[in-house]
Amino acid sequence: MSKATLARWTLIASIIAGVSYVASWSLNLSLPADVVWKGAGVGLLAVHAGLNARSTDGWLLTAVMALGALGDVLLVTSGLTIGALAFLAGHLTAIALYARNRRKASTPALLAAVVFIPVVVGIAFHLPADRAGAPGVALYATGLSAMAASAWLSRFPRDRVALGALMFLVSDLLIFARGGLLPESFATGLAVWGLYYLGQLLICVGVSRALEPRSA
């Protein structure tokens, strides 16, 4: 089996794992089974990116997906704070990737990106019901919003990569609002997971395709 074929099947397996993970919520799985199923969706995206990697940018994308999968696992095994640190590392890696692939942006686009970050941080700060955790949420949201703004300013297709980054951002804002503005419910969980996984999928596929050699 060629590397390209293996990469294609890995992507298909990721979509199956990511979509089907919702079904696990009613199965009362053991912790190891839950961790494996949850981590498989984005973990397989990391494998897919690694199989396609041909440059530093490709390996940076692989690291972004791998840190996302690590965050998924740590959220289950070690709690929100430790998981958030893995995701924050992924955001910083993504910012490096997008900065290496900047597009020529107009002044309005740059201003919008600059304004976007404090707006998101301000919203995130006011969402948690537990106000003691608000400063930490704001710190995390700084990296999260900078990642989304960097995606918008990168040369990668905005209808995939910037959209995916925005979906990731909204998913995290919904997490911050849980227990406060938003009740804990199946619908909330579905929105959080659906926006997150689809966002990661769009980022991975969008960047991978843009990095393919011209001859491909």
Side-chain angles (χ1 to χ4, degrees):
M1 183 182 295
S2 69
K3 184 181 287 190
T5 301
L6 183 57
R8 189 178 306 115
W9 280 108
T10 303
L11 181 61
I12 292 171
S14 167
I15 294 171
I16 293 172
V19 172
S20 66
Y21 175 64
V22 177
S24 73
W25 298 349
S26 60
L27 297 180
N28 295 318
L29 297 175
S30 64
L31 180 61
D34 185 36
V35 167
V36 170
W37 202 338
K38 185 176 186 181
V42 179
L44 287 167
L45 289 181
V47 176
H48 174 75
L51 289 169
N52 286 324
R54 296 178 177 86
S55 64
T56 300
D57 290 333
W59 290 113
L60 283 172
L61 176 63
T62 303
V64 170
M65 294 297 123
L67 287 166
L70 178 61
D72 289 335
V73 169
L74 290 176
L75 284 178
V76 178
T77 62
S78 305
L80 183 62
T81 300
I82 302 300
L85 289 175
F87 282 119
L88 183 57
H91 298 330
L92 296 177
T93 306
I95 290 169
L97 169 63
Y98 300 143
R100 286 170 52 90
N101 292 273
R102 292 188 303 271
R103 72 168 70 203
K104 277 190 174 181
S106 64
T107 300
L110 289 170
L111 288 175
V114 170
V115 171
F116 177 78
I117 295 173
V119 168
V120 171
V121 172
I123 292 172
F125 178 80
H126 288 92
L127 287 177
D130 178 9
R131 301 312 300 158
V137 166
L139 177 62
Y140 172 83
T142 301
L144 173 67
S145 56
M147 178 276 293
S150 298
W152 174 259
L153 295 174
S154 75
R155 69 177 179 88
F156 300 121
R158 285 173 170 167
D159 60 347
R160 292 185 184 180
V161 178
L163 176 60
L166 184 60
M167 294 173 74
F168 194 150
L169 183 149
V170 173
S171 173
D172 277 354
L173 291 181
L174 292 178
I175 291 176
F176 302 150
R178 272 177 165 176
L181 295 176
L182 283 179
E184 290 283 356
S185 67
F186 176 81
T188 301
L190 183 62
V192 168
W193 178 256
L195 288 168
Y196 165 71
Y197 175 74
L198 184 55
Q200 291 280 51
L201 177 64
L202 288 173
I203 292 169
C204 184
V205 172
V207 173
S208 290
R209 297 296 181 268
L211 293 177
E212 287 179 353
R214 297 287 183 179
S215 60

